[in-house]
Amino acid sequence: MESPTLKEQGYLPRRYLVAIMAFLGMICNYMLRINMNLAVVAMSVQGGGDNGSHASSEAEEVCGFTDGGNDPGDEEGTFEWNEFTQSLITSSFFWGYVWTQIPGGRIAELFGARRVFGGALVLASILTFFIPLSAQDNPTYLIINRVLLGISEGATFPSTHALLSTWAPPKERSTLSTIIYAGSQAGTVVGYPLTSALITSMGWESVFYVQGVMTLVWCVFWFVLVADSPRQHKTISAAEKEYILASIGEHKKMKPPPVPLKAALTSLPFYAILLSNMGNNWGFYTLLTDLPLYMSNMLVTDIKKNATLSSLPYLGMWIFSLIISKVGDTLIQKNILSTGVVRKTANTISQVGPALCLLGVTLVKCDRTATVVLFFTAASLQGGIYTGFMVNHIDIAPNFAGTLFGITNAFSTIPSWVAPMTVGALTNNRQTFEQWDKVFYIAAAIFIANAVFYLIFASGEVQPWNDQETEEERRSKEQQRAVSIVTQAKEQVAMGGVRGADNPGYDNAYDVYVVTPQTKDYIYGNPAYRQK
């Protein structure tokens, strides 16, 4: 079915309004998640803990950097946290994040993504207000706050997958999912400079108050403008509603069926998504959480330059994700490439490209410009994930997209916190290029391994276990078939039809309707008659 004209859809298609609101929600989601990556640098005494003032001595000695360090206007940190403590603070978010992935996706399928996504960010914004208080005296309370923040935000990504499964026509799936998930990159692009500006102008505490209020304002608009499905949206046009429902078709059921876990957990296309998600997150969060530290310690940049350089790669990722998603959907719509080929191509670009860039970083070392270009390219190419494995759950099982995303994202959360802790363990008291090279070698190897597995085993087709009938559906179809036979028999009898050799097709129907007095009970599943 072709998409209606813009005029028929009221000039602003509601599916794109929903995507834009979810995009803005993702910006808030990521601001609250990553603000600590930069704020922790300002909160910590330079060379704090047992590191001394030699944290970036190798960079200064080997590369001869003399123009870095903190700007005179930068706020001096007050907490003596070494690199390992800082990595615990930034990664502790994921200790909580893992626990609400699967329940978040399933609850969104059962009760609606609007409530789950919006409610998660309401709670996250409230917790953010308490970060300055929890940071005092002991980092343990701050870590607990970050764990709770992770628990609240854990349901956001799975719930948006459930939202997409009801709003996104298959041929627009890459575009709509990319619009939404590009909010992750936009949140980084906006969040780092905003965090830097707030730190330098009003102190690090203001970061959490201002961004918490911004998120609460978004929540109000979200609950007013968004519905769980086209059927429930109050202002959607009839033409757009009919188009979406017809495009999604019979594979998406109104009432969520039981999850076929056994079938899913023995499906290679599912494992291709799972391993790709896990491998990608190792590399992605190595960059996201530790790029500010690398910029500060090895490239010796002050906090303002650090914020700009750390956010710049995600601007590239944002732009590239929008381009590749449009190209991917166009290739599918014009039947030039299948969905599976588009997913595999985009995924390979998003994994192998960054791996090669990280290997390049180990070669350029003191060349600031080349390092920034390589980081920019690595993050930009990761924009392909939204046309690759990220949307693939909806391709293979639209009925269970939220739950499956919850499962894969729960497991992928493990490398999300293990990777930063690994970086902290490798670089604590050893801020050297040799140690950072190990970080990049590990990430590159994981990128390539998961890309190869996905290339071999991924699929773009709906899997048979998505359409498994429930007992209720099976009985309903059986009843409909039986009623149809009886109706035909009644018509034949009324018309004086002949049984037997002249009309053998109606023998059984005639017997069921005329001879058997218990037909109705049998048709509608009376157990007493089923046992006969």
Side-chain angles (χ1 to χ4, degrees):
M1 182 176 181
E2 294 297 322
S3 175
T5 64
L6 283 177
K7 183 178 180 180
E8 291 173 325
Q9 298 178 82
Y11 295 102
L12 177 59
R14 295 305 183 263
R15 63 189 182 279
Y16 283 92
L17 174 63
V18 170
I20 291 169
M21 286 303 302
F23 164 80
L24 295 175
M26 282 295 179
I27 290 179
C28 297
N29 181 25
Y30 254 70
M31 279 199 307
L32 302 188
R33 179 186 303 199
I34 60 97
N35 53 21
M36 184 59 70
N37 299 342
L38 195 61
V40 73
V41 178
M43 295 165 71
S44 305
V45 175
Q46 187 175 12
D50 54 3
N51 293 313
S53 60
H54 64 279
S56 59
S57 60
E58 179 175 279
E60 294 172 347
E61 292 173 4
V62 174
C63 301
F65 293 146
T66 58
D67 57 337
N70 287 335
D71 185 274
D74 287 346
E75 181 181 353
E76 179 65 25
T78 56
F79 303 110
E80 294 188 350
W81 297 334
N82 61 25
E83 281 91 343
F84 188 71
T85 301
Q86 292 177 41
S87 71
L88 287 177
I89 292 170
T90 56
S91 64
S92 58
F93 171 92
F94 297 102
W95 305 349
Y97 189 72
V98 65
W99 297 107
T100 46
Q101 295 291 317
I102 299 174
R106 189 56 179 167
I107 291 170
E109 289 170 349
L110 295 173
F111 301 106
R114 171 177 169 268
R115 297 183 186 90
V116 176
F117 189 69
L121 288 182
V122 169
L123 180 57
S125 61
I126 294 172
L127 287 167
T128 299
F129 290 138
F130 286 95
I131 285 180
L133 178 63
S134 62
Q136 304 301 320
D137 299 327
N138 192 314
T140 301
Y141 298 113
L142 176 57
I143 290 172
I144 292 173
N145 183 292
R146 292 277 294 171
V147 171
L148 294 174
L149 184 65
I151 291 174
S152 66
E153 289 197 11
T156 53
F157 272 84
S159 63
T160 50
H161 248 50
L163 190 73
L164 279 166
S165 71
T166 59
W167 277 99
K171 293 183 179 180
E172 298 178 33
R173 201 166 275 161
S174 296
T175 300
L176 287 168
S177 66
T178 298
I179 290 174
I180 293 175
Y181 294 127
S184 305
Q185 284 66 62
T188 306
V189 171
V190 173
Y192 275 150
L194 177 60
T195 298
S196 173
L198 291 171
I199 289 172
T200 55
S201 61
M202 293 187 288
W204 62 263
E205 296 93 337
S206 65
V207 171
F208 307 104
Y209 299 136
V210 171
Q211 294 181 5
V213 169
M214 290 172 63
T215 303
L216 283 179
V217 170
W218 170 86
C219 289
V220 173
F221 285 96
W222 171 260
F223 285 111
V224 171
L225 298 175
V226 173
D228 288 317
S229 72
R231 290 186 177 89
Q232 298 171 303
H233 203 285
K234 295 180 180 179
T235 64
I236 189 172
S237 68
E240 184 183 6
K241 181 190 293 186
E242 181 183 356
Y243 165 64
I244 295 172
L245 296 179
S247 298
I248 292 174
E250 63 181 7
H251 291 303
K252 178 64 180 176
K253 300 178 182 179
M254 290 183 62
K255 182 180 179 181
V259 180
L261 275 179
K262 182 178 180 181
L265 296 179
T266 54
S267 169
L268 283 173
F270 170 73
Y271 279 105
I273 298 172
L274 172 63
L275 296 180
S276 198
N277 200 346
M278 293 181 68
N280 175 78
N281 271 18
W282 184 286
F284 180 79
Y285 284 101
T286 294
L287 291 174
L288 184 67
T289 60
D290 294 300
L291 188 55
L293 290 175
Y294 188 81
M295 293 292 183
S296 175
N297 293 329
M298 305 312 297
L299 299 187
V300 196
T301 58
D302 62 56
I303 198 167
K304 294 176 183 177
K305 290 180 181 177
N306 194 344
T308 302
L309 294 175
S310 296
S311 64
L312 187 62
Y314 300 97
L315 175 61
M317 184 176 180
W318 181 12
I319 295 171
F320 183 69
S321 68
L322 296 174
I323 295 171
I324 194 171
S325 68
K326 184 60 179 176
V327 172
D329 275 347
T330 300
L331 292 172
I332 294 171
Q333 290 165 6
K334 294 183 179 296
N335 295 318
I336 297 173
L337 294 176
S338 68
T339 300
V341 172
V342 169
R343 299 285 179 257
K344 291 180 179 182
T345 302
N347 202 71
T348 301
I349 293 171
S350 71
Q351 306 299 298
V352 176
L356 297 177
C357 290
L358 291 180
L359 293 176
V361 171
T362 66
L363 301 176
V364 298
K365 292 186 170 54
C366 296
D367 190 331
R368 282 173 168 168
T369 301
T371 300
V372 171
V373 168
L374 286 167
F375 279 139
F376 177 84
T377 305
S380 296
L381 293 176
Q382 282 219 285
I385 65 174
Y386 303 117
T387 306
F389 77 84
M390 280 284 284
V391 72
N392 202 193
H393 311 73
I394 308 174
D395 297 323
I396 67 170
N399 283 317
F400 313 106
T403 299
L404 295 185
F405 191 92
I407 294 172
T408 60
N409 219 34
F411 280 96
S412 70
T413 298
I414 298 172
S416 300
W417 58 266
V418 173
M421 290 186 65
T422 301
V423 175
L426 288 171
T427 62
N428 189 33
N429 291 321
R430 292 176 291 177
Q431 288 292 331
T432 66
F433 285 114
E434 180 182 3
Q435 293 303 110
W436 277 100
D437 285 351
K438 294 176 183 178
V439 170
F440 300 136
Y441 290 146
I442 294 171
I446 293 174
F447 268 141
I448 293 173
N450 81 66
V452 171
F453 191 90
Y454 188 88
L455 195 60
I456 297 171
F457 296 110
S459 173
E461 304 299 323
V462 175
Q463 299 300 294
W465 42 269
N466 176 75
D467 298 319
Q468 288 183 350
E469 291 184 348
T470 63
E471 179 63 20
E472 181 181 348
E473 290 171 332
R474 188 191 63 78
R475 288 167 61 89
S476 176
K477 287 184 178 180
E478 189 175 289
Q479 291 167 6
Q480 290 172 8
R481 285 194 297 268
V483 169
S484 176
I485 291 172
V486 170
T487 301
Q488 292 177 23
K490 289 172 64 178
E491 292 173 352
Q492 185 69 14
V493 171
M495 294 171 62
V498 181
R499 298 177 57 219
D502 294 333
N503 211 347
Y506 288 98
D507 278 2
N508 291 337
Y510 184 89
D511 288 338
V512 169
Y513 180 69
V514 178
V515 179
T516 307
Q518 299 92 358
T519 299
K520 184 176 179 181
D521 286 329
Y522 182 84
I523 290 172
Y524 289 99
N526 188 319
Y529 291 99
R530 286 296 187 202
Q531 293 171 5
K532 292 183 179 181

